[in-house]
Amino acid sequence: VLGVHMVKNANETALTQAYGVFQKEVHEIKPDYMPETVTSDGWQATQNAWQKLFPSVWLILCFLHVFLKIKKNTPFTPLVSRFYQKIWSCFRASNKRTFSQRVRRLSDWVSTNNLPGVVGNQIAKLRHRKSKTAYDYPKAPRTTNMVDRLMRNMDKYLFNTQYFHGNHESAEETIRG
């Protein structure tokens, strides 16, 4: 993973430092590199770090993370099951217009059926961001699955090695290796 870096916490300052390692290393390979988009999990500290390092980048909210946040914070019921079908219908929209229509209809449906607050909040985020979506950038991924798969393997490795022993530098070398 290009530019991988260990930080002691996950606040905006630390994440900016960590992603700064990526920025430095990618600029060593391609000095004029400037990402057009970054698909993010929606965590504000992550988004702020990317914006500081690459001011012109457009941040795209990972659709899967929206779904997972709702799923984690909403008790399962038949109505919620129906909601899951509807939200994935939004994701499968073939273009921006269809996506916007589906999200608008879903928002109305959520209001009518009085689903828990987290559902409404996440759908409101989708509606707010619909003016610029991954549909505006056809090459941009709408989920972070590719990175999540790499991170899952890294997590397995770290678990199998009992995470970090020693000092920060040796942990950094382990991760980079």
Side-chain angles (χ1 to χ4, degrees), residues 80-140:
V80 169
S81 175
R82 181 74 182 121
F83 167 77
Y84 292 165
Q85 293 169 0
K86 289 179 173 289
I87 196 166
W88 283 112
S89 173
C90 295
F91 175 76
R92 291 183 187 99
S94 60
N95 58 53
K96 183 178 177 178
R97 183 172 180 234
T98 304
F99 175 78
S100 295
Q101 289 172 339
R102 289 179 183 179
V103 170
R104 189 172 46 254
R105 287 184 194 130
L106 179 59
S107 179
D108 294 343
W109 184 85
V110 165
S111 296
T112 302
N113 288 284
N114 297 318
L115 287 170
V118 70
V119 175
N121 292 341
Q122 292 300 312
I123 299 306
K125 279 185 184 180
L126 277 179
R127 283 191 79 174
H128 174 71
R129 291 174 179 250
K130 73 180 180 186
S131 61
K132 272 284 203 200
T133 67
Y135 294 100
D136 295 314
Y137 303 95
K139 293 181 182 177

Side-chain angles (χ1 to χ4, degrees), residues 1-7 14 17-19 21-22 168 172 175-176:
V1 177
L2 182 67
V4 69
H5 180 69
M6 290 247 327
V7 291
Q17 175 192 355
Y19 291 128
V21 172
F22 164 78
H168 187 85
E172 175 88 17
I175 287 295
R176 291 189 65 90

Side-chain angles (χ1 to χ4, degrees), residues 33-40 57-64 91 93-94 132-147:
Y33 176 80
M34 181 63 67
E36 189 174 23
T37 65
V38 169
T39 303
S40 167
V57 73
W58 183 260
L59 297 167
I60 296 173
L61 180 63
C62 172
F63 199 90
L64 178 61
F91 175 76
S94 60
K132 272 284 203 200
T133 67
Y135 294 100
D136 295 314
Y137 303 95
K139 293 181 182 177
R142 290 187 283 163
T143 69
T144 58
N145 285 348
M146 291 184 291
V147 171

Side-chain angles (χ1 to χ4, degrees), residues 14-32:
L15 291 175
T16 301
Q17 175 192 355
Y19 291 128
V21 172
F22 164 78
Q23 180 189 47
K24 178 182 173 281
E25 290 182 9
V26 77
H27 282 157
E28 288 172 3
I29 296 167
K30 186 175 180 185
D32 61 341

Side-chain angles (χ1 to χ4, degrees), residues 33-53:
Y33 176 80
M34 181 63 67
E36 189 174 23
T37 65
V38 169
T39 303
S40 167
D41 58 10
W43 195 9
Q44 198 60 51
T46 300
Q47 293 177 355
N48 292 346
W50 278 103
Q51 289 280 205
K52 281 182 182 175
L53 295 167

